Amino acid sequence: MAVQLKAVTRDNWEEALALKVSDHQQVFVPSVAVSLAKVFIKPDGKNVEYLPFAIYDNETMVGFIMHAYEESTSNMYWINGFFIDHIHQNKGYGKQSMIEMIRWILQRFPQCQEIRLTVHKENEIARRLYKDLGFFPLGQSVGDEEIMKLEISKSSLFGRKI
């Protein structure tokens, strides 16, 4: 497995739009189309930048993940819209993709001290994955989603020596 993050561009956006989760998972994550719309609509404010990525294993697109951030901060670095296509689930792509996204954020933004995400309260598989990577609940929710964070300075897996 050689997981890579590649920007969603005019060359791969249609393939990204075709990515899907299983029917019972649709309430857990937004579609790629909704995530891509956020890039231009900026629902979280004009200072938030959104970077959508397709997740690849060699030349095969296996999922989608997006990073949203406010560069002038140390704690407004978010992972959202993350999912592995239903055909490629249960193969280890989820964990490897999250590790790659976290590494990418830390390499690009040395000021980042924490990374946040939200997870649907009923999405036990994702909650377990995030906890295994060091994320913990903040005790805050947005709708049906709980906010979790990874404190970089306390994380042995994602220390600055990457």
Side-chain angles (χ1 to χ4, degrees):
M1 177 183 322
V3 171
Q4 300 172 8
L5 304 178
K6 297 181 183 178
V8 175
T9 66
R10 67 175 55 112
D11 296 325
N12 63 1
W13 69 276
E14 290 177 297
E15 185 179 2
L17 287 176
L19 297 169
K20 303 281 184 245
V21 293
S22 301
D23 289 343
H24 75 280
Q25 296 172 317
Q26 289 180 3
V27 297
F28 297 156
V29 294
S31 67
V32 171
V34 168
S35 292
L36 292 178
K38 288 181 178 184
V39 174
F40 299 100
I41 295 169
K42 295 187 174 255
D44 299 311
K46 65 180 182 177
N47 294 329
V48 178
E49 296 295 329
Y50 300 86
L51 301 174
F53 294 95
I55 302 165
Y56 285 86
D57 181 359
N58 292 308
E59 298 302 314
T60 303
M61 188 182 293
V62 299
F64 178 85
I65 194 166
M66 191 157 70
H67 175 50
Y69 67 95
E70 287 187 53
E71 192 166 1
S72 64
T73 68
S74 64
N75 66 344
M76 294 304 291
Y77 298 85
W78 292 79
I79 296 173
N80 56 37
F82 169 56
F83 70 91
I84 301 300
D85 186 81
H86 66 100
I87 295 171
H88 300 288
Q89 291 180 1
N90 301 311
K91 298 177 183 178
Y93 290 122
K95 183 174 185 177
Q96 290 304 311
S97 299
M98 283 294 295
I99 289 170
E100 286 304 310
M101 184 80 261
I102 293 166
R103 284 185 178 146
W104 186 91
I105 293 168
L106 296 179
Q107 288 172 346
R108 178 109 192 299
F109 303 103
Q111 70 275 21
C112 176
Q113 294 300 308
E114 69 181 52
I115 298 172
R116 296 181 180 204
L117 53 77
T118 61
V119 60
H120 194 281
K121 293 176 182 177
E122 296 176 14
N123 192 346
E124 289 302 320
I125 292 172
R127 292 170 62 80
R128 190 170 39 252
L129 169 65
Y130 301 149
K131 285 181 180 180
D132 287 350
L133 291 171
F135 285 84
F136 63 90
L138 283 178
Q140 301 171 356
S141 296
V142 178
D144 289 333
E145 296 188 3
E146 181 176 38
I147 299 173
M148 299 181 79
K149 77 174 181 176
L150 173 69
E151 292 181 349
I152 303 306
S153 61
K154 294 183 180 178
S155 172
S156 60
L157 182 58
F158 297 105
R160 293 288 179 195
K161 298 174 184 168
I162 52 175

